[in-house]
Every structure is written in C-alpha cells, then in structure tokens.
Amino acid sequence: MAQERVAKAGVAAFVMRNREYLVAVKADSGAPALHALHRADEIREPQTVGARHG
C-alpha cells in the first residue's frame, strides 16, 4: 500500500450508526486502518470519571 511506503496518514469523516466520526486513515500491514480522533468537547477530565473497582 502506498501509504505504508511514505509513512503518512490522512484525515476523513466516517459515518457509522448514524453518527459521524473524525478518523485518521493509516496503512497497517497492507490494509487501511481507521483510528478515531476525539474532539475537545468529547474528552472528560480524569477526576470526573468514577474509579473502577475490580
């Protein structure tokens, strides 16, 4: 895949289950891979997330 040779990624909008996601498109072992990117308003501060008890 050409992206693997040049070690670059692209940015795209991707729709799944009626929701649009911003993704980075990279080559991974010869196949395209999507990595979800998060907007600032989607990220929570660690202190606001409840601790998990295992």
Side-chain angles (χ1 to χ4, degrees), residues 9-12 14 21-28 31-38:
V11 176
F14 173 71
Y21 296 87
L22 186 63
V23 296
V25 182
K26 293 179 62 178
D28 185 16
L34 301 177
H35 299 275
L37 304 175
H38 299 281

Side-chain angles (χ1 to χ4, degrees), residues 5-27:
R5 291 191 301 271
V6 294
K8 292 188 178 181
V11 176
F14 173 71
V15 178
M16 179 173 62
R17 297 188 194 116
N18 294 325
R19 183 165 181 237
E20 188 175 82
Y21 296 87
L22 186 63
V23 296
V25 182
K26 293 179 62 178

Side-chain angles (χ1 to χ4, degrees), residues 33-44:
L34 301 177
H35 299 275
L37 304 175
H38 299 281
R39 295 178 174 93
D41 64 340
E42 296 176 321
I43 299 174
R44 298 187 295 180

